[in-house]
Amino acid sequence: MNKTKRNLSFIFIALLASALLVMQFFTGCSSSQQEERGGGKTYAVWFSYLEYEELCSGMSKKEFTEFAKECAANLSKAGFNTIYIQAVAFTDALYSSSVYPPSKHLPGGIATSAKGSSPRERDSGIHTGVGIGIGFGKGGWTRTGVEVSIGMEGRAGNYPEEEESSWPKASYDPLKILVTQMKKKNIRTEAWINPMRSVKEEQLESLPDDFIVKTWAKQKKGRAFLHQGRWYLNPYYPEVLRLITKCVSELVQNYDIDGIHMDDYFYPSSLPEEIDANEFEKEKQKHPKLTLKNFRTVNVDAMVKQIYAAVKKANPELTFGISPSGNIQTCRNAMFADPAHWAKQGTVDYLAPQIYWGFLHTAKPFEPTLNEWKQITAGTNVKLIAGLAAYKVGSVQSAGNADADAEWQNSNRILADQTLAAIKADYEGISCFRYASLFSPSPVNSSHAEKELAALEAIMKR
Protein backbone atom coordinates (compact mmCIF):
# COMPACT_ATOMS: atom_id res chain seq x y z
CA MET A 1 0.00 0.00 0.00
CA ASN A 2 2.75 2.44 0.94
CA LYS A 3 4.60 1.47 -2.21
CA THR A 4 1.49 2.25 -4.27
CA LYS A 5 1.15 5.65 -2.59
CA ARG A 6 4.79 6.43 -3.28
CA ASN A 7 4.33 5.51 -6.93
CA LEU A 8 1.25 7.69 -7.20
CA SER A 9 3.08 10.58 -5.55
CA PHE A 10 5.97 10.17 -7.96
CA ILE A 11 3.60 10.16 -10.94
CA PHE A 12 1.80 13.27 -9.62
CA ILE A 13 5.07 15.16 -9.17
CA ALA A 14 6.25 14.13 -12.63
CA LEU A 15 2.98 15.26 -14.21
CA LEU A 16 3.13 18.58 -12.33
CA ALA A 17 6.72 19.18 -13.45
CA SER A 18 5.79 18.35 -17.03
CA ALA A 19 2.89 20.77 -16.90
CA LEU A 20 5.14 23.54 -15.60
CA LEU A 21 7.65 22.88 -18.36
CA VAL A 22 4.90 23.03 -21.01
CA MET A 23 3.59 26.30 -19.57
CA GLN A 24 7.09 27.75 -19.52
CA PHE A 25 7.64 26.67 -23.12
CA PHE A 26 4.51 28.36 -24.43
CA THR A 27 5.08 31.49 -22.36
CA GLY A 28 8.59 31.81 -23.73
CA CYS A 29 7.40 30.96 -27.21
CA SER A 30 5.00 33.89 -27.32
CA SER A 31 7.80 36.38 -26.65
CA SER A 32 10.28 34.90 -29.08
CA GLN A 33 8.00 33.67 -31.83
CA GLN A 34 8.00 37.04 -33.54
CA GLU A 35 11.80 37.14 -33.59
CA GLU A 36 11.92 33.64 -35.09
CA ARG A 37 9.54 34.51 -37.91
CA GLY A 38 11.61 35.11 -41.02
CA GLY A 39 14.74 33.61 -39.49
CA GLY A 40 15.56 36.82 -37.63
CA LYS A 41 15.16 39.01 -40.73
CA THR A 42 12.65 41.81 -41.20
CA TYR A 43 10.10 41.20 -43.93
CA ALA A 44 7.87 44.25 -44.00
CA VAL A 45 5.14 45.85 -46.06
CA TRP A 46 3.82 49.40 -46.19
CA PHE A 47 0.09 49.95 -45.63
CA SER A 48 -0.69 53.50 -46.78
CA TYR A 49 -3.68 55.83 -46.86
CA LEU A 50 -4.12 54.59 -50.43
CA GLU A 51 -5.01 51.15 -49.06
CA TYR A 52 -7.78 52.78 -47.05
CA GLU A 53 -9.07 54.53 -50.17
CA GLU A 54 -8.78 51.61 -52.57
CA LEU A 55 -9.57 48.57 -50.46
CA CYS A 56 -11.88 49.52 -47.63
CA SER A 57 -13.50 52.91 -48.20
CA GLY A 58 -16.94 53.11 -46.63
CA MET A 59 -16.59 49.95 -44.55
CA SER A 60 -18.42 49.63 -41.26
CA LYS A 61 -16.43 48.80 -38.14
CA LYS A 62 -17.47 45.15 -38.39
CA GLU A 63 -16.52 44.99 -42.07
CA PHE A 64 -13.19 46.67 -41.45
CA THR A 65 -12.40 44.28 -38.59
CA GLU A 66 -12.92 41.36 -40.97
CA PHE A 67 -10.77 43.12 -43.55
CA ALA A 68 -7.99 43.62 -40.96
CA LYS A 69 -8.17 39.92 -40.04
CA GLU A 70 -7.76 39.04 -43.71
CA CYS A 71 -4.79 41.41 -44.05
CA ALA A 72 -3.06 39.85 -41.05
CA ALA A 73 -3.76 36.34 -42.34
CA ASN A 74 -2.41 37.25 -45.80
CA LEU A 75 0.79 38.68 -44.38
CA SER A 76 1.34 35.81 -41.98
CA LYS A 77 0.74 33.19 -44.66
CA ALA A 78 3.23 34.86 -47.00
CA GLY A 79 5.91 35.19 -44.31
CA PHE A 80 5.81 38.93 -43.64
CA ASN A 81 6.53 39.78 -40.00
CA THR A 82 6.31 43.60 -39.95
CA ILE A 83 3.86 46.22 -41.20
CA TYR A 84 4.19 50.00 -41.39
CA ILE A 85 0.67 51.39 -41.01
CA GLN A 86 0.16 54.98 -42.09
CA ALA A 87 -1.13 57.06 -39.20
CA VAL A 88 -0.35 60.58 -40.44
CA ALA A 89 -0.22 61.46 -44.13
CA PHE A 90 -1.02 65.20 -44.40
CA THR A 91 -1.00 66.58 -40.82
CA ASP A 92 -4.19 64.55 -40.41
CA ALA A 93 -5.03 61.52 -38.30
CA LEU A 94 -5.79 58.03 -39.54
CA TYR A 95 -6.45 57.11 -35.90
CA SER A 96 -8.21 58.61 -32.87
CA SER A 97 -6.22 61.78 -32.23
CA SER A 98 -6.42 64.96 -30.24
CA VAL A 99 -3.36 66.38 -32.03
CA TYR A 100 -4.47 66.27 -35.67
CA PRO A 101 -7.99 66.44 -37.13
CA PRO A 102 -9.44 63.25 -38.62
CA SER A 103 -8.28 62.38 -42.11
CA LYS A 104 -10.61 62.40 -45.09
CA HIS A 105 -9.04 59.02 -45.95
CA LEU A 106 -10.47 57.25 -42.90
CA PRO A 107 -12.15 54.06 -44.15
CA GLY A 108 -15.22 54.50 -41.96
CA GLY A 109 -15.52 58.22 -42.45
CA ILE A 110 -16.42 60.70 -39.74
CA ALA A 111 -18.92 60.17 -36.93
CA THR A 112 -21.93 62.44 -37.39
CA SER A 113 -22.37 63.63 -33.80
CA ALA A 114 -19.24 62.97 -31.73
CA LYS A 115 -16.75 65.71 -31.00
CA GLY A 116 -13.08 65.49 -30.21
CA SER A 117 -10.51 67.57 -28.43
CA SER A 118 -8.38 70.11 -30.24
CA PRO A 119 -4.67 70.68 -29.71
CA ARG A 120 -4.42 74.31 -28.73
CA GLU A 121 -1.05 75.91 -28.16
CA ARG A 122 -1.08 75.24 -24.44
CA ASP A 123 0.90 73.05 -22.11
CA SER A 124 0.46 69.42 -23.17
CA GLY A 125 3.09 67.89 -20.93
CA ILE A 126 5.55 67.77 -23.84
CA HIS A 127 8.30 70.35 -24.04
CA THR A 128 11.46 71.06 -25.97
CA GLY A 129 13.51 72.12 -22.99
CA VAL A 130 14.35 75.82 -23.00
CA GLY A 131 14.32 76.10 -26.76
CA ILE A 132 16.86 75.49 -29.45
CA GLY A 133 20.34 76.86 -29.29
CA ILE A 134 22.58 77.33 -32.30
CA GLY A 135 26.31 77.17 -32.67
CA PHE A 136 29.31 75.73 -34.46
CA GLY A 137 30.78 72.44 -33.30
CA LYS A 138 33.33 70.12 -34.85
CA GLY A 139 30.75 69.11 -37.43
CA GLY A 140 29.80 72.70 -38.31
CA TRP A 141 26.60 74.52 -37.47
CA THR A 142 24.41 72.64 -35.01
CA ARG A 143 21.19 73.02 -33.09
CA THR A 144 21.25 72.11 -29.43
CA GLY A 145 18.68 71.98 -26.67
CA VAL A 146 16.34 69.84 -28.74
CA GLU A 147 15.57 67.60 -25.81
CA VAL A 148 12.15 66.18 -25.14
CA SER A 149 10.46 65.93 -21.79
CA ILE A 150 7.24 63.97 -22.01
CA GLY A 151 4.63 64.12 -19.29
CA MET A 152 3.78 60.44 -18.91
CA GLU A 153 0.72 60.95 -16.78
CA GLY A 154 -2.36 60.41 -18.90
CA ARG A 155 -2.33 60.34 -22.66
CA ALA A 156 -0.24 62.70 -24.74
CA GLY A 157 -2.49 65.24 -26.35
CA ASN A 158 -4.89 65.27 -23.39
CA TYR A 159 -5.65 68.91 -22.70
CA PRO A 160 -7.93 69.08 -19.65
CA GLU A 161 -7.77 72.87 -19.45
CA GLU A 162 -9.09 73.37 -22.98
CA GLU A 163 -12.61 73.84 -24.19
CA GLU A 164 -14.22 71.09 -26.21
CA SER A 165 -13.66 71.85 -29.89
CA SER A 166 -15.92 71.25 -32.83
CA TRP A 167 -13.57 68.63 -34.24
CA PRO A 168 -15.41 65.53 -35.43
CA LYS A 169 -14.16 62.06 -34.59
CA ALA A 170 -13.56 58.99 -36.68
CA SER A 171 -16.51 56.60 -36.68
CA TYR A 172 -14.01 53.95 -35.54
CA ASP A 173 -10.24 53.67 -35.08
CA PRO A 174 -8.69 51.71 -37.99
CA LEU A 175 -5.18 51.83 -36.52
CA LYS A 176 -6.32 50.20 -33.29
CA ILE A 177 -8.15 47.46 -35.19
CA LEU A 178 -5.22 46.75 -37.50
CA VAL A 179 -2.72 46.66 -34.63
CA THR A 180 -4.95 44.27 -32.68
CA GLN A 181 -5.28 41.86 -35.60
CA MET A 182 -1.58 42.02 -36.49
CA LYS A 183 -0.60 41.20 -32.91
CA LYS A 184 -2.74 38.06 -33.06
CA LYS A 185 -0.53 36.88 -35.91
CA ASN A 186 2.71 37.98 -34.20
CA ILE A 187 3.31 40.68 -36.79
CA ARG A 188 5.24 43.76 -35.65
CA THR A 189 3.43 47.04 -36.19
CA GLU A 190 4.90 50.50 -36.54
CA ALA A 191 2.90 53.69 -36.94
CA TRP A 192 4.01 55.51 -40.09
CA ILE A 193 4.04 59.30 -40.12
CA ASN A 194 4.77 62.10 -42.59
CA PRO A 195 5.61 64.93 -40.17
CA MET A 196 6.27 67.85 -42.57
CA ARG A 197 3.80 67.36 -45.44
CA SER A 198 0.39 69.00 -45.01
CA VAL A 199 -2.68 69.73 -47.14
CA LYS A 200 -2.99 71.15 -50.64
CA GLU A 201 -3.57 74.89 -50.98
CA GLU A 202 -7.24 74.50 -51.89
CA GLN A 203 -7.84 72.19 -48.90
CA LEU A 204 -6.72 74.69 -46.27
CA GLU A 205 -10.16 76.15 -45.68
CA SER A 206 -11.59 72.70 -44.99
CA LEU A 207 -9.40 72.37 -41.88
CA PRO A 208 -10.92 73.23 -38.49
CA ASP A 209 -10.49 76.91 -37.64
CA ASP A 210 -8.84 76.04 -34.32
CA PHE A 211 -6.26 73.70 -35.88
CA ILE A 212 -2.87 75.29 -35.32
CA VAL A 213 -1.55 74.39 -38.79
CA LYS A 214 -4.36 76.40 -40.38
CA THR A 215 -3.47 79.30 -38.09
CA TRP A 216 0.19 79.11 -39.05
CA ALA A 217 -0.64 79.00 -42.74
CA LYS A 218 -2.84 82.10 -42.50
CA GLN A 219 -0.36 83.99 -40.34
CA LYS A 220 2.34 83.58 -43.01
CA LYS A 221 5.10 83.88 -40.44
CA GLY A 222 7.16 80.95 -41.65
CA ARG A 223 5.93 78.09 -39.48
CA ALA A 224 4.05 76.70 -42.44
CA PHE A 225 5.08 77.44 -46.02
CA LEU A 226 3.40 76.94 -49.38
CA HIS A 227 5.29 75.28 -52.21
CA GLN A 228 3.90 74.13 -55.56
CA GLY A 229 0.35 74.11 -54.28
CA ARG A 230 0.95 72.28 -50.98
CA TRP A 231 1.56 73.40 -47.41
CA TYR A 232 4.52 72.10 -45.41
CA LEU A 233 5.64 72.55 -41.80
CA ASN A 234 8.93 74.33 -41.16
CA PRO A 235 11.14 72.34 -38.75
CA TYR A 236 13.17 75.43 -37.88
CA TYR A 237 10.57 76.48 -35.31
CA PRO A 238 10.42 74.85 -31.85
CA GLU A 239 6.62 75.04 -31.82
CA VAL A 240 6.49 73.03 -35.04
CA LEU A 241 8.77 70.39 -33.55
CA ARG A 242 6.58 70.38 -30.45
CA LEU A 243 3.46 69.66 -32.54
CA ILE A 244 5.20 66.78 -34.32
CA THR A 245 6.39 65.38 -30.99
CA LYS A 246 2.87 65.55 -29.57
CA CYS A 247 1.71 63.32 -32.39
CA VAL A 248 4.52 60.82 -31.85
CA SER A 249 3.91 60.71 -28.11
CA GLU A 250 0.19 60.21 -28.61
CA LEU A 251 0.85 57.22 -30.85
CA VAL A 252 3.46 55.48 -28.69
CA GLN A 253 1.46 55.98 -25.50
CA ASN A 254 -1.99 55.06 -26.78
CA TYR A 255 -1.30 52.14 -29.12
CA ASP A 256 0.35 48.77 -28.64
CA ILE A 257 2.79 49.44 -31.47
CA ASP A 258 6.42 48.42 -31.79
CA GLY A 259 7.76 51.70 -33.10
CA ILE A 260 7.44 54.81 -35.25
CA HIS A 261 8.24 54.82 -38.96
CA MET A 262 8.82 57.85 -41.16
CA ASP A 263 9.35 58.08 -44.90
CA ASP A 264 10.92 60.50 -47.36
CA TYR A 265 8.79 63.65 -47.11
CA PHE A 266 11.25 66.22 -45.77
CA TYR A 267 11.81 69.56 -47.49
CA PRO A 268 10.19 69.29 -50.93
CA SER A 269 12.51 69.37 -53.92
CA SER A 270 13.09 72.58 -55.92
CA LEU A 271 12.40 74.67 -52.84
CA PRO A 272 13.28 78.33 -53.55
CA GLU A 273 15.59 80.26 -51.25
CA GLU A 274 12.95 82.85 -50.35
CA ILE A 275 10.79 80.24 -48.57
CA ASP A 276 12.88 80.46 -45.40
CA ALA A 277 15.15 83.39 -46.27
CA ASN A 278 14.29 85.36 -43.13
CA GLU A 279 15.08 82.46 -40.81
CA PHE A 280 18.29 81.67 -42.68
CA GLU A 281 19.51 85.28 -42.65
CA LYS A 282 18.81 85.53 -38.95
CA GLU A 283 21.13 82.60 -38.27
CA LYS A 284 23.68 83.64 -40.88
CA GLN A 285 24.18 86.95 -39.12
CA LYS A 286 25.37 85.00 -36.10
CA HIS A 287 27.33 82.45 -38.14
CA PRO A 288 28.66 83.91 -41.40
CA LYS A 289 29.92 80.54 -42.65
CA LEU A 290 26.45 79.04 -42.54
CA THR A 291 25.04 77.85 -45.89
CA LEU A 292 21.38 77.38 -46.75
CA LYS A 293 21.98 73.67 -47.30
CA ASN A 294 23.54 73.29 -43.86
CA PHE A 295 20.78 75.36 -42.29
CA ARG A 296 18.00 73.19 -43.69
CA THR A 297 19.86 69.93 -43.12
CA VAL A 298 20.38 70.67 -39.45
CA ASN A 299 16.72 71.60 -39.09
CA VAL A 300 15.81 68.13 -40.35
CA ASP A 301 18.44 66.58 -38.05
CA ALA A 302 16.81 68.37 -35.11
CA MET A 303 13.38 67.01 -36.04
CA VAL A 304 14.73 63.46 -36.35
CA LYS A 305 16.53 63.77 -33.03
CA GLN A 306 13.41 64.98 -31.29
CA ILE A 307 11.21 62.19 -32.67
CA TYR A 308 13.80 59.60 -31.63
CA ALA A 309 13.96 61.08 -28.12
CA ALA A 310 10.16 61.04 -27.80
CA VAL A 311 9.98 57.40 -28.85
CA LYS A 312 12.74 56.27 -26.49
CA LYS A 313 11.39 58.37 -23.62
CA ALA A 314 8.10 56.50 -23.86
CA ASN A 315 9.76 53.08 -24.13
CA PRO A 316 13.43 52.37 -24.92
CA GLU A 317 12.40 49.06 -26.50
CA LEU A 318 10.42 50.78 -29.26
CA THR A 319 12.13 51.38 -32.59
CA PHE A 320 12.32 54.47 -34.77
CA GLY A 321 13.26 54.17 -38.40
CA ILE A 322 13.23 56.29 -41.54
CA SER A 323 12.68 55.30 -45.17
CA PRO A 324 14.49 57.97 -47.20
CA SER A 325 14.79 58.24 -50.96
CA GLY A 326 17.10 55.53 -52.30
CA ASN A 327 19.20 58.17 -54.05
CA ILE A 328 21.57 59.53 -51.40
CA GLN A 329 22.36 62.67 -53.39
CA THR A 330 18.65 63.44 -53.76
CA CYS A 331 18.29 63.09 -50.00
CA ARG A 332 21.12 65.47 -49.28
CA ASN A 333 20.78 68.07 -52.02
CA ALA A 334 17.05 68.19 -52.75
CA MET A 335 15.38 67.20 -49.47
CA PHE A 336 18.15 68.39 -47.10
CA ALA A 337 17.98 65.06 -45.28
CA ASP A 338 21.33 63.41 -44.58
CA PRO A 339 20.95 59.79 -43.41
CA ALA A 340 24.66 59.61 -42.58
CA HIS A 341 24.08 62.25 -39.89
CA TRP A 342 21.29 60.22 -38.26
CA ALA A 343 23.35 57.03 -38.36
CA LYS A 344 26.40 58.72 -36.84
CA GLN A 345 24.33 60.58 -34.24
CA GLY A 346 22.42 57.43 -33.31
CA THR A 347 19.01 59.04 -33.78
CA VAL A 348 17.53 56.16 -35.80
CA ASP A 349 17.44 52.43 -35.20
CA TYR A 350 17.20 51.53 -38.87
CA LEU A 351 17.13 53.02 -42.34
CA ALA A 352 14.90 51.60 -45.08
CA PRO A 353 16.09 53.36 -48.25
CA GLN A 354 13.61 53.18 -51.10
CA ILE A 355 15.77 51.34 -53.63
CA TYR A 356 12.98 51.27 -56.19
CA TRP A 357 15.12 50.40 -59.23
CA GLY A 358 15.82 47.17 -61.05
CA PHE A 359 19.11 45.35 -61.50
CA LEU A 360 19.53 46.82 -64.99
CA HIS A 361 18.64 50.44 -64.27
CA THR A 362 21.21 52.67 -65.95
CA ALA A 363 21.56 55.38 -63.31
CA LYS A 364 20.81 53.51 -60.05
CA PRO A 365 21.20 49.75 -60.55
CA PHE A 366 19.96 47.82 -57.55
CA GLU A 367 23.04 46.04 -56.24
CA PRO A 368 25.53 48.95 -56.42
CA THR A 369 22.91 51.09 -54.68
CA LEU A 370 22.64 48.51 -51.90
CA ASN A 371 26.37 48.87 -51.34
CA GLU A 372 26.21 52.68 -51.34
CA TRP A 373 23.86 52.55 -48.38
CA LYS A 374 26.14 50.17 -46.50
CA GLN A 375 28.71 52.96 -46.47
CA ILE A 376 26.16 55.25 -44.81
CA THR A 377 25.73 52.96 -41.80
CA ALA A 378 29.27 51.54 -41.63
CA GLY A 379 30.69 51.69 -38.11
CA THR A 380 27.27 52.28 -36.50
CA ASN A 381 24.55 50.11 -34.96
CA VAL A 382 21.96 51.32 -37.46
CA LYS A 383 20.35 48.48 -39.42
CA LEU A 384 19.47 48.54 -43.11
CA ILE A 385 16.20 47.39 -44.65
CA ALA A 386 15.89 47.54 -48.43
CA GLY A 387 12.71 49.22 -49.66
CA LEU A 388 11.41 47.38 -52.74
CA ALA A 389 9.03 48.62 -55.44
CA ALA A 390 6.30 45.99 -55.40
CA TYR A 391 4.10 48.48 -57.26
CA LYS A 392 6.30 48.08 -60.35
CA VAL A 393 5.87 44.35 -60.84
CA GLY A 394 4.40 43.46 -64.22
CA SER A 395 4.80 46.96 -65.62
CA VAL A 396 7.10 48.52 -68.20
CA GLN A 397 9.40 51.22 -66.83
CA SER A 398 11.40 54.03 -68.43
CA ALA A 399 14.87 53.20 -67.16
CA GLY A 400 17.02 54.22 -70.10
CA ASN A 401 17.50 51.07 -72.16
CA ALA A 402 15.32 48.33 -73.60
CA ASP A 403 16.38 45.58 -71.17
CA ALA A 404 15.97 47.80 -68.13
CA ASP A 405 12.62 49.13 -69.36
CA ALA A 406 11.19 45.61 -69.61
CA GLU A 407 12.90 44.14 -66.54
CA TRP A 408 9.89 44.43 -64.25
CA GLN A 409 7.65 42.82 -66.85
CA ASN A 410 9.93 40.05 -68.04
CA SER A 411 10.81 38.69 -64.60
CA ASN A 412 8.36 36.87 -62.34
CA ARG A 413 10.73 37.00 -59.35
CA ILE A 414 12.48 40.34 -59.32
CA LEU A 415 11.38 41.04 -55.73
CA ALA A 416 12.66 37.64 -54.63
CA ASP A 417 15.99 38.17 -56.37
CA GLN A 418 16.32 41.62 -54.81
CA THR A 419 15.55 40.13 -51.40
CA LEU A 420 18.30 37.56 -51.86
CA ALA A 421 20.71 40.30 -52.94
CA ALA A 422 19.84 42.37 -49.86
CA ILE A 423 20.37 39.41 -47.53
CA LYS A 424 23.68 38.63 -49.22
CA ALA A 425 24.69 42.25 -48.61
CA ASP A 426 23.97 41.77 -44.87
CA TYR A 427 20.79 43.83 -44.83
CA GLU A 428 18.40 43.33 -41.93
CA GLY A 429 15.61 42.61 -44.39
CA ILE A 430 13.28 44.17 -46.94
CA SER A 431 10.05 46.15 -47.10
CA CYS A 432 7.61 46.14 -50.02
CA PHE A 433 5.64 49.16 -51.17
CA ARG A 434 2.81 48.48 -50.88
CA TYR A 435 0.24 45.98 -49.49
CA ALA A 436 -2.27 46.30 -52.33
CA SER A 437 0.40 45.77 -54.98
CA LEU A 438 0.92 42.23 -53.72
CA PHE A 439 -2.42 41.21 -52.22
CA SER A 440 -4.93 43.21 -54.26
CA PRO A 441 -3.23 44.12 -57.55
CA SER A 442 -4.98 45.48 -60.62
CA PRO A 443 -6.49 42.82 -62.90
CA VAL A 444 -3.79 43.57 -65.48
CA ASN A 445 -1.02 42.69 -63.01
CA SER A 446 -2.77 40.06 -60.87
CA SER A 447 -1.16 37.00 -62.48
CA HIS A 448 2.29 38.61 -62.39
CA ALA A 449 1.90 39.73 -58.78
CA GLU A 450 0.79 36.25 -57.74
CA LYS A 451 3.98 34.71 -59.17
CA GLU A 452 6.15 37.41 -57.60
CA LEU A 453 4.53 36.86 -54.21
CA ALA A 454 5.00 33.08 -54.46
CA ALA A 455 8.71 33.50 -55.21
CA LEU A 456 9.09 35.99 -52.37
CA GLU A 457 7.16 33.75 -49.97
CA ALA A 458 9.55 30.87 -50.64
CA ILE A 459 12.40 33.02 -49.30
CA MET A 460 10.60 34.61 -46.36
CA LYS A 461 9.26 31.30 -45.01
CA ARG A 462 12.40 29.20 -45.40
Side-chain angles (χ1 to χ4, degrees):
M1 186 71 176
N2 292 336
K3 184 177 181 180
T4 301
K5 287 183 177 180
R6 285 197 300 270
N7 288 339
L8 289 174
S9 298
F10 176 79
I11 293 171
F12 175 77
I13 293 171
L15 288 173
L16 181 61
S18 298
L20 290 172
L21 285 172
V22 170
M23 290 176 62
Q24 185 178 19
F25 170 79
F26 282 107
T27 302
C29 183
S30 63
S31 63
S32 63
Q33 186 176 11
Q34 189 167 297
E35 295 179 6
E36 293 173 357
R37 287 175 56 86
K41 294 293 184 182
T42 295
Y43 296 122
V45 67
W46 279 284
F47 187 100
S48 78
Y49 75 92
L50 295 172
E51 266 70 25
Y52 287 128
E53 283 189 348
E54 297 170 2
L55 305 183
C56 45
S57 179
M59 283 186 177
S60 65
K61 182 177 181 179
K62 182 178 180 181
E63 291 170 333
F64 184 80
T65 300
E66 291 303 313
F67 168 78
K69 289 180 181 178
E70 181 184 354
C71 289
N74 287 342
L75 293 175
S76 180
K77 180 178 180 295
F80 287 100
N81 56 22
T82 302
I83 184 171
Y84 307 129
I85 306 171
Q86 190 142 44
V88 177
F90 307 99
T91 61
D92 56 355
L94 289 158
Y95 65 100
S96 295
S97 174
S98 57
V99 176
Y100 290 137
S103 172
K104 68 175 184 177
H105 305 290
L106 285 163
I110 306 300
T112 56
S113 59
K115 294 182 178 181
S117 300
S118 71
R120 310 291 178 86
E121 280 297 281
R122 299 183 186 179
D123 186 3
S124 66
I126 304 170
H127 311 278
T128 51
V130 294
I132 300 178
I134 299 171
F136 273 96
K138 291 182 179 180
W141 185 74
T142 59
R143 290 174 63 176
T144 59
V146 192
E147 298 300 329
V148 180
S149 174
I150 303 175
M152 298 302 290
E153 64 283 352
R155 58 179 285 176
N158 185 20
Y159 309 95
E161 73 275 33
E162 296 175 5
E163 298 177 0
E164 183 88 350
S165 82
S166 59
W167 287 18
K169 294 178 66 176
S171 58
Y172 58 84
D173 189 336
L175 179 61
K176 182 178 181 180
I177 293 171
L178 278 169
V179 169
T180 298
Q181 297 305 321
M182 295 299 161
K183 291 294 181 183
K184 291 179 180 179
K185 294 293 185 178
N186 293 302
I187 295 172
R188 292 186 69 259
T189 58
E190 296 189 16
W192 164 20
I193 64 171
N194 295 131
M196 289 178 61
R197 181 180 65 177
S198 190
V199 297
K200 293 180 179 178
E201 183 176 11
E202 63 271 19
Q203 295 171 332
L204 184 66
E205 288 303 323
S206 67
L207 297 178
D209 289 335
D210 57 355
F211 181 35
I212 191 62
V213 172
K214 184 175 185 178
T215 302
W216 287 340
K218 292 202 166 191
Q219 286 175 341
K220 298 182 179 179
K221 293 183 178 180
R223 288 159 183 81
F225 60 84
L226 185 66
H227 176 62
Q228 295 182 347
R230 183 175 292 281
W231 289 96
Y232 295 85
L233 299 185
N234 187 344
Y236 169 76
Y237 289 94
E239 52 266 51
V240 170
L241 298 183
R242 186 161 58 245
L243 177 69
I244 293 169
T245 304
K246 288 178 183 178
C247 164
V248 171
S249 300
E250 180 175 64
L251 286 165
V252 295
Q253 292 182 37
N254 293 350
Y255 293 87
D256 187 20
I257 56 178
D258 298 287
I260 294 292
H261 179 83
M262 178 176 159
D263 67 1
D264 62 333
Y265 286 95
F266 298 99
Y267 284 99
S269 59
S270 305
L271 192 65
E273 294 182 4
E274 58 265 24
I275 285 291
D276 50 0
N278 291 336
E279 294 87 343
F280 171 59
E281 287 302 322
K282 177 182 177 182
E283 301 305 331
K284 190 173 176 60
Q285 288 178 10
K286 305 173 188 175
H287 312 288
K289 295 181 180 180
L290 182 65
T291 66
L292 181 60
K293 178 182 177 181
N294 288 341
F295 170 74
R296 290 176 176 172
T297 300
V298 174
N299 289 338
V300 170
D301 287 349
M303 178 179 68
V304 169
K305 180 180 180 182
Q306 184 153 335
I307 294 174
Y308 179 85
V311 171
K312 298 302 181 178
K313 182 73 174 181
N315 183 350
E317 298 301 315
L318 297 180
T319 58
F320 171 52
I322 298 178
S323 177
S325 165
N327 189 320
I328 296 171
Q329 296 309 312
T330 298
C331 288
R332 288 172 169 165
N333 300 323
M335 300 177 180
F336 306 99
D338 196 330
H341 288 187
W342 316 328
K344 184 177 180 180
Q345 295 165 4
T347 52
V348 290
D349 294 303
Y350 68 86
L351 293 171
Q354 298 169 24
I355 310 178
Y356 288 170
W357 305 286
F359 292 99
L360 304 178
H361 194 278
T362 52
K364 297 297 295 180
F366 185 78
E367 289 180 289
T369 305
L370 281 178
N371 293 326
E372 287 179 7
W373 280 94
K374 288 186 68 175
Q375 297 174 26
I376 294 294
T377 59
T380 74
N381 293 323
V382 175
K383 298 176 181 178
L384 281 172
I385 297 170
L388 307 184
Y391 68 94
K392 288 186 176 181
V393 299
S395 62
V396 176
Q397 302 297 310
S398 298
N401 64 61
D403 290 336
D405 289 348
E407 182 177 13
W408 291 88
Q409 192 174 47
N410 291 341
S411 174
N412 288 324
R413 51 171 297 115
I414 189 169
L415 297 179
D417 289 340
Q418 289 185 332
T419 299
L420 290 173
I423 293 173
K424 184 178 179 181
D426 294 325
Y427 272 57
E428 174 72 12
I430 57 97
S431 183
C432 292
F433 185 82
R434 51 189 173 95
Y435 176 87
S437 300
L438 293 174
F439 296 100
S440 186
S442 66
V444 175
N445 287 340
S446 60
S447 176
H448 206 111
E450 183 178 347
K451 293 174 183 177
E452 284 277 358
L453 182 58
L456 187 59
E457 179 178 331
I459 296 170
M460 295 191 298
K461 296 186 73 174
R462 67 183 185 182

